[in-house]
Amino acid sequence: MQGRAWAAAVLLGSLLWGRPALAAPAPLDCQAALAAAQRQQQELHQQAKTLAVLMLGEIHTSVDDHAWQLGTLERLSSQRQLILALEMIPAARQPVLDRFNTGELDVAGLLREVDWPAVWGHDPNLYRPLLHWARLRRVPLLAINAEPALVRQVRQRGLATTPTAERGGISEPRPASPAYRQRLEASWRGHQALGISSGRDADLQGFIDSQLLRDRAMAEQLAAAHRHNPQSLLVALIGVGHLEGGDGVPSQLNDLGLTRQLSLRRPTLPGGCAPAPQGARLGAYLESDASGVWVRQVAPGSAAAAAGLRPGDRIVALNGRVVQRAGEVIRGVRLHPDAQPLVITVDRGGQRLDLKLRLPPSSDPRLAARDNGANA
């Protein structure tokens, strides 16, 4: 149920309640990707007030996915009371998380007591920042997955021959849609190529059943937590394979009547593309070489974007003063008085243009300038 992140994409949740989905990616250039990432944040900010469940998809081994999850959680924590739900830990081990939530266990103790290598296996260091953040913000953790032994049993026997009494209280899942079944079969064939699957049709059905069981287990735990804490926003960290196309956990939540949900995936930026840091006045990434100062990226919604500055422009002067290094531009921008327009003269394809900018207030005009590859 893991996949590779596409090279350049942004996946925005559906605007319709009850139809959360990870949309198919489309190739994007840097500026379009940055703009789409900003739209994702804006959309989430607007919807967070009324959401019951937010599912943040991940590739389990992706450092970038976990960093995005952490940033999203931090922004949301100023809007709503949160509960952080984890696919990584079986629901039966919630007592361990309760001890963590009350401060009895630290992160190391939590990982030890839940037997992390056995129940999850992926590098715990990828998850430590998220767990430390939850402790710092006093955000309770919720375990939502099925026990590995039960998943293995269903994989071997199938759901039809696994008595309800042996399912750990997990009810009958909604059947897989044709599209979801097709994706699960593709995943199974990948396992088969690695020698993990037997290649028998019965094994394929067992694999599909085991994934549906996990989907249902996670959905039921989320639905129960919402009933118990309706004022909180449940944010679940779940592998993207359990969320794509509105199938998996979102489909099971719909079946349980919980439709105020949204699924998101990290906006993936093209190589070398990065947003300007928070607090940047100009909102552009600059580089200088022997021929002058070049604009490499422009952040959507920034002062630079509003004035029409473009990647590929060569900055010639600030308020008529010639500049030759990126550091000169950065320092000039940071020291420019508030509420006064700044005129940037650029060379664009051999044509000189004067662009008038309205800069946001400077938080600290004494900041030192950086040269050769810096943000302003």
Side-chain angles (χ1 to χ4, degrees):
M1 293 306 297
Q2 299 179 32
R4 298 295 299 172
W6 287 274
V10 60
L11 299 162
L12 302 177
S14 169
L15 289 171
L16 300 177
W17 295 128
R19 296 184 60 192
L22 297 174
L28 298 171
D29 62 24
C30 181
Q31 294 308 303
L34 288 171
Q38 186 178 56
R39 287 196 301 272
Q40 184 192 74
Q41 291 185 24
Q42 292 170 343
E43 177 186 316
L44 178 56
H45 179 79
Q46 293 168 357
Q47 295 193 33
K49 299 174 184 177
T50 52
L51 277 176
V53 177
L54 171 66
M55 289 162 281
L56 300 179
E58 66 171 56
I59 301 297
H60 303 311
T61 55
S62 170
V63 174
D64 290 338
D65 281 359
H66 297 309
W68 166 75
Q69 290 171 335
L70 185 58
T72 303
L73 285 163
E74 178 62 21
R75 287 188 292 272
L76 287 170
S77 66
S78 65
Q79 289 184 265
R80 294 282 302 276
Q81 178 181 338
L82 305 180
I83 296 174
L84 181 57
L86 304 173
E87 176 196 356
M88 303 81 215
I89 301 177
R93 309 195 189 203
Q94 183 61 41
V96 177
L97 271 60
D98 291 341
R99 293 165 61 199
F100 177 83
N101 293 339
T102 60
E104 183 180 343
L105 288 176
D106 59 11
V107 171
L110 181 154
L111 296 172
R112 181 182 64 253
E113 294 295 324
V114 299
D115 195 4
W116 183 272
V119 301
W120 192 240
H122 294 290
D123 185 358
N125 291 323
L126 294 172
Y127 294 89
R128 284 181 188 272
L130 290 155
L131 298 174
H132 281 296
W133 176 86
R135 166 56 54 83
L136 179 66
R137 296 296 189 202
R138 299 188 179 184
V139 172
L141 301 182
L142 177 70
I144 59 174
N145 213 337
E147 276 289 336
L150 175 59
V151 175
R152 287 193 296 270
Q153 178 181 336
V154 170
R155 172 72 186 270
Q156 294 167 2
R157 296 170 53 180
L159 272 170
T161 57
T162 302
T164 303
E166 296 180 16
R167 296 183 187 178
I170 302 169
S171 62
E172 189 70 21
R174 169 187 272 184
S177 70
Y180 191 29
R181 187 178 181 88
Q182 187 175 28
R183 288 196 301 273
L184 288 172
E185 183 172 350
S187 178
W188 174 78
R189 293 195 184 284
H191 290 180
Q192 183 182 358
L194 295 173
I196 301 172
S197 301
S198 70
R200 296 179 290 107
D201 289 343
D203 184 71
L204 168 59
Q205 187 57 51
F207 176 74
I208 292 173
D209 284 352
S210 69
Q211 297 306 317
L212 289 173
L213 177 85
R214 296 179 66 206
D215 294 336
R216 189 69 174 192
M218 289 188 273
E220 288 186 340
Q221 292 300 320
L222 291 169
H226 173 65
R227 289 193 299 270
H228 190 257
N229 296 283
Q231 76 284 358
S232 296
L233 172 59
L234 287 152
V235 182
L237 309 185
I238 298 176
V240 294
H242 292 284
L243 305 177
E244 288 180 293
D247 290 312
V249 180
S251 175
Q252 300 298 332
L253 283 172
N254 280 331
D255 191 55
L256 293 168
L258 209 171
T259 59
R260 291 188 294 114
Q261 51 165 298
L262 184 67
S263 301
L264 294 178
R265 185 173 178 181
R266 173 177 62 88
T268 306
L269 305 179
C273 178
Q278 270 191 322
R281 296 191 80 193
L282 181 59
Y285 187 87
L286 311 176
E287 291 181 351
S288 52
D289 58 21
S291 60
V293 184
W294 296 91
V295 178
R296 297 308 185 197
Q297 296 173 25
V298 177
S302 64
L309 199 66
R310 300 178 186 174
D313 286 346
R314 182 168 65 89
I315 297 178
V316 177
L318 295 183
N319 280 342
R321 180 180 177 182
V322 174
V323 292
Q324 296 179 318
R325 308 293 296 173
E328 296 176 81
V329 177
I330 295 168
R331 182 172 177 81
V333 167
R334 290 182 174 174
L335 295 179
H336 190 73
D338 292 348
Q340 292 188 20
L342 172 67
V343 177
I344 294 185
T345 303
V346 301
D347 183 300
R348 181 178 296 165
Q351 181 181 5
R352 292 287 178 100
L353 301 172
D354 288 334
L355 305 177
K356 185 177 291 188
L357 287 84
R358 295 283 182 180
L359 297 173
S362 174
S363 59
D364 186 357
R366 297 168 298 176
L367 289 174
R370 288 172 55 196
D371 203 353
N372 288 328
N375 291 281

